[in-house]
Amino acid sequence: MIIFNKQYIRKGFFIQTNKKKIIYLDRDGVINKDFGYVYEIDKFEFISGVLEACKHFINLGYEIVVVTNQSGIGRNYYTKEDFIKLTNWMKSEFKKNGIDILNVYFCPHAPEENCSCRKPQIGMITQSLNDFDIDLQKSWLIGDKMSDIQTAISANIPNKILISKEKEDKVLHVVETLFDTINIIKQ
Ligand SMILES: O=P(O)(O)OC[C@@H](O)[C@H]1O[C@@H](OP(=O)(O)O)[C@@H](O)[C@@H](O)[C@@H]1O
Ligand SMILES: [Mg+2]
Ligand SMILES: [Zn+2]
């Protein structure tokens, strides 16, 4: 039996980092089909392969955080309560498939409000760092707009993937659906 010298432990030689590694997921266009300001359960259609991809991430030890712009609230297309109702349903659907979503962060503001949380601003990422002990260097951000990728750049998240049918030469990883990221995120 090895007895660690208490003074070493006191000096932090054996501090184990339990920092979380996160997959930050954009919602519309990544988790669900983006029909435009989706806020009703019957209009929320999971994109094929999303559940399998999320199970893959969890098997690799990641936790999943959703970061979503919801300007439809600020534009008065729907209410914050509508969004929360849909979000609770979405989380329950993930849960039914063995996938726990650590948290969903959303920006309810319209673009003209110039808030600090609407992507590509990094307010939602910063809030997640306040809420959890996260290792951003081992985390990923996956989105369907270049503004999502810009969020990762601004937040110093080194690993980012664009979900798009067009090749964006400014982004190293461009795939058509979240399922395709299984071939990229392997540890
Ligand atoms: O992709 P995330 O961030 O999860 O959510 C995007 C949605 O809030 C909506 O964002 C809008 O952009 P504007 O917010 O109007 O610029 C449009 O792109 C809509 O099609 C889209 O549904
Ligand atoms: Mg999106
Ligand atoms: Zn905001």
Side-chain angles (χ1 to χ4, degrees):
M1 178 177 78
I2 301 171
I3 296 171
F4 289 122
N5 180 315
K6 281 196 174 37
Q7 71 180 34
Y8 280 126
I9 292 176
R10 251 197 316 279
K11 287 182 182 164
F13 281 77
F14 298 96
I15 286 177
Q16 298 296 326
T17 59
N18 295 318
K19 284 179 175 287
K20 296 179 184 294
K21 57 180 189 175
I22 302 294
I23 303 284
Y24 288 98
L25 291 182
D26 171 62
R27 196 197 80 180
D28 295 286
V30 174
I31 294 174
N32 59 296
K33 290 185 180 175
D34 188 356
F35 297 118
Y37 306 100
V38 173
Y39 70 96
E40 297 156 301
I41 289 171
D42 64 359
K43 299 279 192 323
F44 190 100
E45 192 177 326
F46 279 93
I47 293 170
S48 171
V50 162
L51 299 174
E52 292 83 350
C54 289
K55 283 178 190 167
H56 171 75
F57 302 145
I58 286 168
N59 290 340
L60 291 179
Y62 289 94
E63 296 199 58
I64 297 168
V65 166
V66 177
V67 286
T68 178
N69 285 349
Q70 289 300 316
S71 69
I73 297 169
R75 298 171 189 277
N76 296 316
Y77 296 164
Y78 50 88
T79 66
K80 180 179 165 185
E81 290 65 31
D82 291 327
F83 170 75
I84 289 168
K85 182 180 171 195
L86 173 60
T87 300
N88 288 336
W89 173 84
M90 179 188 78
K91 289 165 69 174
S92 71
E93 290 299 299
F94 273 115
K95 183 84 175 164
K96 281 181 200 168
N97 288 277
I99 300 159
D100 284 321
I101 301 295
L102 183 62
N103 208 358
V104 175
Y105 295 93
F106 67 101
C107 163
H109 305 110
E112 58 271 18
E113 296 183 68
N114 297 314
C115 67
S116 60
C117 51
R118 175 182 163 83
K119 294 176 289 180
Q121 300 303 316
I122 64 169
M124 291 190 277
I125 305 294
T126 306
Q127 186 57 53
S128 72
L129 298 175
N130 292 338
D131 293 344
F132 304 101
D133 188 16
I134 291 170
D135 185 341
L136 276 191
Q137 293 306 306
K138 292 183 179 170
S139 298
W140 292 74
L141 189 146
I142 304 172
D144 69 319
K145 293 181 184 170
M146 281 308 291
S147 53
D148 297 320
I149 300 302
Q150 185 54 54
T151 307
I153 293 167
S154 302
N156 292 318
I157 299 171
N159 309 303
K160 40 209 173 276
I161 300 175
L162 180 68
I163 305 286
S164 174
K165 302 240 184 303
E166 285 87 48
K167 182 72 183 149
E168 278 283 347
D169 56 7
K170 293 190 287 295
V171 184
L172 184 61
H173 300 298
V174 182
V175 295
E176 292 205 5
T177 70
L178 193 65
F179 185 78
D180 302 325
T181 65
I182 290 175
N183 298 320
I184 297 170
I185 302 175
K186 295 180 176 171
Q187 61 177 3

